[in-house]
Amino acid sequence: MLRSKLPETSLKTAIEIINIAEQNKAINLACSVPDFNMSTTLINSVEKHMRNGKNQYAPIEGIMPLREAVAQHFNNKFGVEYNPETEITVTAGATEAVWATISAIVHEDDEVIVLEPTYENYVPAIRMNGGMPVFVSLKHPDYKIDWNEVIRSVNQRTRMIIISNPHNPAGMVLNDEDLQRLQKIVAGNKIIVLSDETYASLVYDTPMISVAKYPVLAKQSVVINSLGKTFNATGWKTGICCAPAEYTSEIRRMHNYICNGSNAAIQYTFAELLSNPNCDEVEKIKETYRHKRDLLTSMLQGSKYNFIPSQGTWFQTVDCSAISSENDVDFSMRLVKNYGVAVFPMSLYYHDKNKNNVIRICFAREDDTLKKGIEQLLKVE
């Protein structure tokens, strides 16, 4: 029998919920995939570049026009200067950038501080590279970081701290005080910050602040972003990895062997849109998701479901303890089987899988789908 390198994952329960949803034709508010199409502006642009012959391998580090556009974006927004030649890499999605970064930096017995609930790909990547995850728990409902607990978790073996901003899956956004505290923790030591800013374009009520804004942090951080999320084209799998040249050199080595480049025509499309000062696609997409978040929260307002409106991402966490004493897994299973709506239990995003009473709703849905799903939630007794 083949021995698995990743025997314990959160996928089993998630897959079971999705399978039941498909069998019962339930409304799927679980999967983090939008159910509506991208703008025709993107479709027309990529078609143009395909017809113009941009269909062969792109350079492994990404085409220069896109790297230059990304460098200009970070300079305009955060005042940081990344060298597009040596400090910016285009990857096959943000997930690949995460794996390449962890593979490049984490060695045997290095410790990596992980804030949970956490995106499911961090810990497998750490363990596959011989590292040891050290978990710091964020508490519902606000999921704020206890920086004193982070400090207590740091020791001589700490090699990396992973943050997610906006936080996936909790929807929390870090503020200036958070990033100032983080900067003090890593200043002058060997710790590298992996800042997963995949949903940076989807921040609704407060400014999005990247670690790149802070000089010390920028010198000790790898910043990862997703143009697929930014332009509502997740299947285009185009990530961005910005880091000092020393880190970038090693990340590119790993990137070369993981996937050896990203789709050329799509890179030219993103370069065209990012470099166009009159392009308002990103703002339109953000306003679309802000509307969907507000629609969701307005429908739940006044119900027994307790929540703080998501600050970013396309996820909303909801406390169900006033509805039922069931744990989140059992409650989610009852929802999909008896009420025809699928959500994910938040305990899936913790390493110990301790059951709680919190579910995660993905609001990247057509308005009618979202309304129907929430109407089903409101029927639960």
Side-chain angles (χ1 to χ4, degrees):
M1 180 182 292
L2 184 65
R3 184 163 59 94
S4 174
K5 291 184 177 180
L6 296 171
E8 296 296 331
T9 73
S10 62
L11 291 178
K12 182 178 179 182
T13 301
I15 292 171
E16 186 177 357
I17 289 172
I18 297 307
N19 286 341
I20 294 172
E22 291 178 353
Q23 292 165 11
N24 294 1
K25 297 183 179 179
I27 298 165
N28 187 341
L29 302 184
C31 286
S32 55
V33 181
D35 70 347
F36 52 96
N37 206 359
M38 69 189 78
S39 165
T40 56
T41 300
L42 276 79
I43 296 170
N44 293 338
S45 176
V46 77
E47 179 185 7
K48 175 185 69 178
H49 292 299
M50 286 179 175
R51 292 189 183 282
N52 288 340
K54 306 299 186 184
N55 300 303
Q56 306 308 328
Y57 289 129
I60 64 162
E61 63 272 18
I63 64 167
M64 182 55 77
L66 180 52
R67 286 183 282 145
E68 289 174 339
V70 170
Q72 190 62 54
H73 166 79
F74 273 91
N75 185 255
N76 292 343
K77 200 163 181 88
F78 304 114
V80 63
E81 293 188 3
Y82 285 113
N83 184 329
E85 184 67 48
T86 60
E87 297 183 320
I88 297 175
T89 306
V90 182
T91 61
T95 297
E96 193 253 316
V98 167
W99 275 77
T101 298
I102 292 173
S103 298
I105 294 170
V106 176
H107 291 253
E108 193 77 25
D109 296 328
D110 283 343
E111 292 188 359
V112 180
I113 294 176
V114 178
L115 308 176
E116 58 176 9
T118 187
Y119 176 53
E120 59 266 26
N121 278 347
Y122 301 154
V123 172
I126 294 165
R127 288 182 170 148
M128 287 284 285
N129 285 283
M132 301 286 292
V134 176
F135 298 99
V136 173
S137 182
L138 311 180
K139 307 298 191 298
H140 184 80
D142 59 11
Y143 296 101
K144 293 296 184 184
I145 299 172
D146 183 342
W147 290 108
N148 291 326
E149 187 174 350
V150 174
I151 291 170
R152 289 192 294 270
S153 301
V154 172
N155 59 49
Q156 291 184 341
R157 292 169 60 185
T158 305
R159 182 58 173 149
M160 178 181 285
I161 298 174
I162 300 179
I163 64 171
S164 175
N165 186 31
H167 189 278
N168 175 11
M172 172 269 293
V173 174
L174 298 181
N175 57 31
D176 176 71
E177 182 181 354
D178 289 314
L179 294 173
Q180 293 282 7
R181 292 290 301 275
L182 178 60
Q183 183 166 246
K184 288 181 181 178
I185 291 171
V186 304
N189 58 39
K190 67 175 184 177
I191 299 173
I192 294 171
V193 174
L194 191 166
S195 185
D196 184 350
E197 301 176 10
T198 292
Y199 291 90
S201 63
L202 299 177
V203 175
Y204 306 117
D205 305 316
T206 58
M208 168 62 197
I209 310 175
S210 172
V211 297
K213 180 181 177 181
Y214 301 82
V216 172
L217 274 178
K219 291 178 182 177
Q220 290 182 234
S221 295
V222 178
V223 180
I224 290 171
N225 206 315
S226 167
L227 294 176
K229 293 290 194 308
T230 300
F231 287 97
N232 203 47
T234 59
W236 285 13
K237 296 296 293 179
T238 307
I240 297 296
C241 186
C242 302
E246 177 188 4
Y247 306 161
T248 295
S249 177
E250 192 63 22
I251 289 168
R252 286 180 178 177
R253 287 192 182 101
M254 300 300 164
H255 165 64
N256 182 39
Y257 290 107
I258 292 172
C259 76
N260 193 27
S262 179
N263 184 288
I266 287 170
Q267 288 190 51
Y268 279 99
T269 288
F270 286 141
E272 178 181 313
L273 296 177
L274 283 178
S275 60
N276 180 359
N278 298 317
C279 178
D280 60 355
E281 292 297 326
V282 176
E283 190 62 28
K284 286 180 179 178
I285 292 166
K286 182 172 82 168
E287 289 308 310
T288 295
Y289 280 107
R290 187 202 305 273
H291 158 76
K292 293 180 184 300
R293 188 234 14 207
D294 292 348
L295 173 62
L296 164 64
T297 55
S298 67
M299 291 186 70
L300 290 179
Q301 199 70 44
S303 73
K304 291 184 179 180
Y305 292 103
N306 294 313
F307 61 91
I308 295 175
S310 175
Q311 295 176 305
T313 74
W314 52 44
F315 304 120
Q316 176 67 55
T317 62
V318 177
D319 188 321
C320 308
S321 56
I323 302 286
S324 171
S325 60
E326 297 165 287
N327 65 56
D328 60 341
V329 172
D330 291 342
F331 186 70
S332 298
M333 287 296 184
R334 184 158 70 94
L335 284 179
V336 71
K337 291 177 180 178
N338 298 346
Y339 291 90
V341 59
V343 299
F344 276 159
M346 281 293 285
S347 60
L348 298 186
Y349 302 99
Y350 291 83
H351 75 285
D352 55 10
K353 304 297 181 290
N354 280 345
K355 306 299 189 294
N356 55 48
N357 298 100
V358 183
I359 59 172
R360 190 203 77 178
I361 299 170
C362 177
F363 53 84
R365 298 292 183 271
E366 294 280 8
D367 285 3
D368 285 348
T369 302
L370 193 56
K371 288 177 183 177
K372 290 175 182 177
I374 302 306
E375 285 169 358
Q376 292 304 107
L377 283 179
L378 294 173
K379 294 177 182 178
V380 180
E381 297 177 352

Short mmCIF file of all heavy atoms in Angstrom, two decimals, residues 11 25 30 56 97 120 145 168 171 200 211 221 229 240 278 299 326 329 341:
data_model
loop_
_atom_site.label_atom_id
_atom_site.label_comp_id
_atom_site.label_asym_id
_atom_site.label_seq_id
_atom_site.Cartn_x
_atom_site.Cartn_y
_atom_site.Cartn_z
N LEU A 11 -9.43 17.96 3.84
CA LEU A 11 -10.20 17.81 2.62
C LEU A 11 -11.34 16.80 2.75
O LEU A 11 -12.36 16.93 2.06
CB LEU A 11 -9.27 17.38 1.48
CG LEU A 11 -8.27 18.43 1.00
CD1 LEU A 11 -7.39 17.84 -0.11
CD2 LEU A 11 -8.99 19.66 0.48
N LYS A 25 -28.47 18.47 -5.02
CA LYS A 25 -28.67 19.70 -5.79
C LYS A 25 -28.86 20.90 -4.85
O LYS A 25 -29.74 21.75 -5.04
CB LYS A 25 -29.85 19.56 -6.76
CG LYS A 25 -29.62 18.48 -7.81
CD LYS A 25 -30.77 18.39 -8.81
CE LYS A 25 -30.50 17.32 -9.85
NZ LYS A 25 -31.60 17.18 -10.83
N ALA A 30 -20.33 27.05 -0.21
CA ALA A 30 -19.12 26.53 0.44
C ALA A 30 -17.88 26.78 -0.42
O ALA A 30 -16.92 27.41 0.04
CB ALA A 30 -19.29 25.04 0.73
N GLN A 56 3.30 30.74 -26.78
CA GLN A 56 4.38 29.83 -26.42
C GLN A 56 4.87 30.16 -25.00
O GLN A 56 4.34 31.06 -24.34
CB GLN A 56 5.51 29.92 -27.44
CG GLN A 56 5.06 29.69 -28.88
CD GLN A 56 4.26 28.41 -29.09
OE1 GLN A 56 4.48 27.41 -28.41
NE2 GLN A 56 3.31 28.43 -30.02
N ALA A 97 3.00 30.17 -5.72
CA ALA A 97 3.95 31.11 -5.12
C ALA A 97 4.21 30.76 -3.66
O ALA A 97 5.35 30.85 -3.17
CB ALA A 97 3.42 32.54 -5.25
N GLU A 120 -5.56 26.23 3.76
CA GLU A 120 -5.19 24.83 3.92
C GLU A 120 -3.85 24.44 3.30
O GLU A 120 -3.32 23.36 3.60
CB GLU A 120 -6.29 23.91 3.37
CG GLU A 120 -6.62 24.09 1.91
CD GLU A 120 -7.79 25.04 1.68
OE1 GLU A 120 -8.03 25.91 2.52
OE2 GLU A 120 -8.45 24.90 0.63
N ILE A 145 -5.12 39.36 16.00
CA ILE A 145 -3.90 38.66 16.35
C ILE A 145 -3.45 39.07 17.75
O ILE A 145 -3.35 40.27 18.06
CB ILE A 145 -2.78 38.96 15.34
CG1 ILE A 145 -3.18 38.49 13.94
CG2 ILE A 145 -1.47 38.30 15.77
CD1 ILE A 145 -2.22 38.91 12.85
N ASN A 168 -7.63 34.88 4.97
CA ASN A 168 -8.38 33.77 4.40
C ASN A 168 -8.28 32.60 5.39
O ASN A 168 -7.17 32.12 5.65
CB ASN A 168 -7.76 33.37 3.05
CG ASN A 168 -8.39 32.15 2.43
OD1 ASN A 168 -9.42 31.67 2.86
ND2 ASN A 168 -7.76 31.61 1.40
N GLY A 171 -11.63 36.75 6.91
CA GLY A 171 -12.06 38.05 6.41
C GLY A 171 -11.57 39.23 7.23
O GLY A 171 -12.01 40.36 7.01
N ALA A 200 -5.98 41.16 -1.67
CA ALA A 200 -5.69 42.56 -1.37
C ALA A 200 -6.61 43.54 -2.07
O ALA A 200 -6.87 44.64 -1.56
CB ALA A 200 -4.23 42.88 -1.73
N VAL A 211 2.56 44.74 3.79
CA VAL A 211 3.84 44.77 4.51
C VAL A 211 4.89 45.54 3.71
O VAL A 211 5.87 46.04 4.27
CB VAL A 211 4.36 43.35 4.82
CG1 VAL A 211 3.41 42.60 5.73
CG2 VAL A 211 4.63 42.56 3.55
N SER A 221 10.43 40.34 3.84
CA SER A 221 9.14 39.73 3.50
C SER A 221 9.08 39.27 2.05
O SER A 221 9.73 39.85 1.18
CB SER A 221 8.00 40.74 3.73
OG SER A 221 7.87 41.07 5.09
N LYS A 229 -7.58 36.48 -8.60
CA LYS A 229 -8.56 37.01 -7.66
C LYS A 229 -8.85 38.48 -7.96
O LYS A 229 -10.00 38.93 -7.94
CB LYS A 229 -8.06 36.87 -6.22
CG LYS A 229 -7.92 35.45 -5.72
CD LYS A 229 -9.24 34.78 -5.52
CE LYS A 229 -9.14 33.51 -4.71
NZ LYS A 229 -8.15 32.54 -5.16
N ILE A 240 1.58 36.60 -8.22
CA ILE A 240 2.70 37.53 -8.19
C ILE A 240 3.46 37.32 -6.90
O ILE A 240 2.87 37.21 -5.82
CB ILE A 240 2.20 39.00 -8.26
CG1 ILE A 240 1.48 39.26 -9.58
CG2 ILE A 240 3.37 39.96 -8.09
CD1 ILE A 240 2.35 39.13 -10.80
N ASN A 278 -6.61 54.24 -17.09
CA ASN A 278 -8.06 54.43 -17.23
C ASN A 278 -8.87 53.16 -16.98
O ASN A 278 -10.10 53.18 -17.07
CB ASN A 278 -8.38 54.96 -18.63
CG ASN A 278 -7.74 56.33 -18.88
OD1 ASN A 278 -7.78 57.20 -18.01
ND2 ASN A 278 -7.15 56.49 -20.06
N MET A 299 -29.37 40.41 5.00
CA MET A 299 -30.36 39.34 5.15
C MET A 299 -30.23 38.62 6.49
O MET A 299 -31.23 38.15 7.05
CB MET A 299 -30.22 38.33 4.00
CG MET A 299 -30.62 38.87 2.64
SD MET A 299 -30.60 37.61 1.35
CE MET A 299 -32.01 36.59 1.84
N GLU A 326 -25.27 22.11 18.22
CA GLU A 326 -24.42 21.21 17.41
C GLU A 326 -23.07 21.87 17.14
O GLU A 326 -22.95 23.09 17.03
CB GLU A 326 -25.09 20.90 16.08
CG GLU A 326 -26.40 20.15 16.15
CD GLU A 326 -27.15 20.22 14.83
OE1 GLU A 326 -27.68 21.30 14.52
OE2 GLU A 326 -27.17 19.20 14.12
N VAL A 329 -19.36 21.04 12.32
CA VAL A 329 -19.39 19.98 11.30
C VAL A 329 -20.78 19.37 11.22
O VAL A 329 -21.36 19.23 10.14
CB VAL A 329 -18.34 18.90 11.60
CG1 VAL A 329 -18.50 17.71 10.65
CG2 VAL A 329 -16.93 19.48 11.46
N VAL A 341 -28.49 23.66 1.53
CA VAL A 341 -27.50 24.72 1.37
C VAL A 341 -26.18 24.25 1.98
O VAL A 341 -26.15 23.71 3.09
CB VAL A 341 -27.97 26.05 2.01
CG1 VAL A 341 -28.25 25.90 3.50
CG2 VAL A 341 -26.95 27.15 1.77
#
